[in-house]
Amino acid sequence: MAAVAMRVRFRICRFSSSAPAPSGSSYPSSSQNWLFRKLDGLAEEIQSLQPPVDLWRRFIYCTSLSGPVLGSVDHMKPQDLDMPLSPVSVAHFSQYKLMNLLLQKLGNLGFTVCYPNETGGSTWERKILMGYECISLSPTREGVNVRCSFQKEGKMEERELHCSILVGSDGARSTVRNLVGIDMKGDRNLQNLISVHFMSRDLGQYLLHKRPGMLFFIFNPDAIGVLVAHDLNQGEFVLQIPYYSPQQKFEDFSSKVCEQIILKLVGWKPIDLQVVDIKPWIMHAEVAEKYVSFDNRVVLAGDAAHRFPPAGGFGMNTGIQDAHNLAWKISSILSGIASPSIMQTYETERRPIAISNTRLSVENLKAAMSVPSALGLDPTVANSVHQVINNSLSSILPLHLQRFALEGIFSIGRAQLSEFILNENNPLGFARLARLKKILDEGKSLQLQFPAEDLGFCYQEGALVAEDSENVLDTEASNAHKRGSRLYIPSAKPGCRLPHMLINAIQPSSSSQDSFSTLDLLPGDKLEFLLIIAPVEKSYNLARASIKVADEFKIPLKICIIWPKGSSKKNAKSSQTILQPWNNFIDVEEADGFSSKSWWELCQMSSNGVILVRPDEHIAWRAESTSIMDSFVELKRVFSLILKLH
């Protein structure tokens, strides 16, 4: 993603000079597919375009793609594919393909993608400007002036744009972040890598029929690499190769050299091997010290705000969450219902999540490193050797001799992977293979599924009304997180995502019983809060008070009355009588067969509970209607806290 300039007329600038290449991440999967369900059928399109799950559910460890398999891990269990905790399952979809789909969806909404040679005219309304590079920023009373450069008809030109709010999502080397002087905190330069995007239908068809998988960790005496299978049917791959600077340089990895490395890792020569692109990148584990600057006018999102190791797919998924959190807050400011200071809650909410995901991705990376260590190829030793050469020999030996020494030592290390050593008849090889099997069997290697983080991330403070102490009914979910469990346990605690349950709309005039998710109660095309209640007198009284507050604050609000299973349609007529003349409400009934728990049991609340949900599907406030003395006063307080109106 790149820098996005937001204003009332939605001018969007993508500061990038070229089309994106496949993600360098080892995990091009999108765990946030549930967010795309409301974007003009985007989730369904992703599901239809992604490879069948049997082609990407495994990580495979081997000596070459055609050689012996040392072990494999199947990351998919039945609950992962047909999750009762989410309306959709996890998806495996490349980042650059996702971006192309997003641009198509924006086109369907009337936006136009414009390149510098095509922009002409004075209107910027509903334009997506591609190929612009941000070069300077300056604050104004109304927002931010952005000076950008672009190439037009072979010449570099500059143009100034005015933004109400500037979202810097211009990648790991963010210019916007540097211009506003925000530093990154964490561990830098963990590893230099080369990312090789290549096509080979021959290789794809071979793996498709012989050993389908998503990631291939290949260890042999000639080369080591991690192959990401983006699409076996199309034969699209990305190979990650470590390199050690300054003895090895990016320029050393020409297309011919990369082809030779690929052939060593494959074990035979695909006829149609074609290297598409070669890019260097550096692995970091860092989070921006600030997300918001220039008096709430400049914010960072995606890789500009956080840089993770590619272990778990947290980079893209955390960036998607950033955008989801930002969207309703920017809309609230531009609509005049929230104070500009609500932008501070974006940092308050999202930065701790990024820090947590950084820590988890580093832990997952260490788990990945346990495999080569078990095989006698400890990556920490390789890094130590490299550091010794840099610190001790760099002043004595010329660079070409340093390179010779480095490659010689690494060749000796890779000899541990020879068939002579790595076989069950060799006592040393037998012990190493047994150690590898134990790591894989115990789930202590690199992992793919993180539902507790993908679905269960929870904001502790921000645009919500935090509780003084945890509800005793929430102890099960709380203890699961304290134990480090990867399980997601739904919770209605403020800051958590609204639990998913299948429900049916109660419409007295219709016999339709099509089920839909509680998450679908919130629209995807407009700003709206949601108040969920049960059909009890105290909760209806609170709902009427919420209507008065929403009218006073000009807040778009929908009310949902959830009825128990088996409620008759005529009962729902009472809502219309009680809430009139308010017509933005819906009566629903718990769907049969979804869960043995009722809605309020799932939320760990009583049937006197009330839940206020933000437009981004996170819970802003909850209470027991019987415990509220003055509903109108309480709801004024609640909305003022959420929208930062004090």
Side-chain angles (χ1 to χ4, degrees), residues 434-499:
R435 194 178 309 134
L436 171 63
K437 184 177 186 303
K438 187 173 187 292
I439 290 171
L440 301 182
D441 289 347
E442 294 179 354
K444 295 181 178 179
S445 60
L446 187 70
Q447 297 298 300
L448 174 64
Q449 298 283 36
F450 294 89
E453 286 71 27
D454 294 333
L455 299 176
F457 63 95
C458 186
Y459 305 133
Q460 301 303 315
E461 56 181 330
L464 52 90
V465 181
E467 297 178 338
D468 294 334
S469 60
E470 286 194 357
N471 188 313
V472 293
L473 295 176
D474 274 337
T475 54
E476 182 182 5
S478 175
N479 288 338
H481 283 287
K482 289 176 182 177
R483 291 192 302 269
S485 171
R486 297 275 76 86
L487 296 176
Y488 163 56
I489 300 175
S491 171
K493 181 181 177 182
C496 291
R497 173 177 175 261
L498 179 69

Side-chain angles (χ1 to χ4, degrees), residues 135-310:
I135 56 176
S136 69
L137 304 174
S138 58
T140 69
R141 294 184 63 179
E142 296 80 21
V144 183
N145 285 336
V146 181
R147 180 158 290 278
C148 51
S149 65
F150 55 94
Q151 190 174 52
K152 186 173 182 180
E153 297 177 353
K155 297 180 180 179
M156 294 302 298
E157 297 186 15
E158 294 184 4
R159 175 174 287 137
E160 188 169 280
L161 308 174
H162 178 75
C163 312
S164 298
I165 297 171
L166 177 71
V167 179
S169 53
D170 49 339
R173 295 184 292 271
S174 172
T175 300
V176 173
R177 184 184 67 228
N178 293 332
L179 287 173
V180 296
I182 296 177
D183 292 330
M184 301 292 284
K185 300 295 183 183
D187 296 325
R188 295 178 56 83
N189 304 324
L190 297 177
Q191 179 71 62
N192 290 321
L193 294 117
I194 299 292
S195 180
V196 185
H197 177 206
F198 71 94
M199 305 292 296
S200 174
R201 190 171 292 273
D202 288 347
L203 179 58
Q205 291 302 305
Y206 172 81
L207 294 175
L208 187 66
H209 295 98
K210 296 293 185 180
R211 52 180 68 168
M214 177 194 282
L215 289 186
F216 297 83
F217 298 84
I218 310 165
F219 306 98
N220 71 48
D222 295 320
I224 293 173
V226 179
L227 184 71
V228 187
H230 280 258
D231 194 315
L232 292 179
N233 279 305
Q234 296 180 8
E236 182 179 15
F237 301 93
V238 172
L239 176 64
Q240 309 289 355
I241 311 167
Y243 78 102
Y244 296 85
S245 177
Q247 292 79 20
Q248 296 174 327
K249 299 180 180 179
F250 167 63
E251 293 75 14
D252 298 334
F253 293 86
S254 64
S255 293
K256 185 175 181 180
V257 169
C258 289
E259 286 180 6
Q260 292 172 347
I261 295 173
I262 292 169
L263 295 179
K264 291 175 183 177
L265 297 176
V266 171
W268 52 275
K269 185 174 182 179
I271 298 173
D272 63 343
L273 176 62
Q274 177 189 2
V275 174
V276 178
D277 194 20
I278 306 168
K279 288 187 176 180
W281 60 284
I282 303 174
M283 187 189 300
H284 304 286
E286 296 180 305
V287 177
E289 62 177 357
K290 290 173 56 181
Y291 275 28
V292 182
S293 186
F294 276 28
D295 195 24
N296 303 316
R297 298 294 187 177
V298 177
V299 296
L300 302 179
D303 288 352
H306 40 73
R307 307 191 287 200
F308 306 145

Side-chain angles (χ1 to χ4, degrees), residues 574-632:
S574 60
S575 299
Q576 186 172 4
T577 303
I578 294 171
L579 299 178
Q580 66 177 341
W582 191 261
N583 57 14
N584 192 17
F585 71 91
I586 182 173
D587 286 284
V588 301
E589 179 180 277
E590 298 166 7
D592 288 330
F594 176 78
S595 171
S596 59
K597 294 183 178 180
S598 71
W599 166 253
W600 297 106
E601 287 173 334
L602 181 67
C603 292
Q604 302 163 350
M605 300 177 71
S606 79
S607 58
N608 290 309
V610 291
I611 299 173
L612 182 64
V613 189
R614 308 187 322 191
D616 65 348
E617 302 170 3
H618 282 257
I619 294 169
W621 170 75
R622 69 171 176 180
E624 295 287 321
S625 59
T626 52
S627 67
I628 299 174
M629 298 297 294
D630 188 323
S631 296
F632 181 75

Side-chain angles (χ1 to χ4, degrees), residues 9-33:
R9 291 185 177 179
F10 300 101
R11 177 173 69 237
I12 302 179
C13 304
R14 185 177 187 281
F15 294 132
S16 174
S17 58
S18 62
S23 168
S25 170
S26 295
Y27 297 90
S29 59
S30 172
S31 299
Q32 304 305 313
N33 201 24

Side-chain angles (χ1 to χ4, degrees), residues 531 533-549 559 561 578-579 608 610 621 625-626 628-633 635:
L531 183 71
I533 65 170
V536 297
E537 182 180 357
K538 279 281 189 179
S539 296
Y540 273 127
N541 292 339
L542 186 140
R544 286 199 298 269
S546 73
I547 292 170
K548 293 179 182 178
V549 174
I559 298 170
I561 305 94
I578 294 171
L579 299 178
N608 290 309
V610 291
W621 170 75
S625 59
T626 52
I628 299 174
M629 298 297 294
D630 188 323
S631 296
F632 181 75
V633 171
L635 283 163

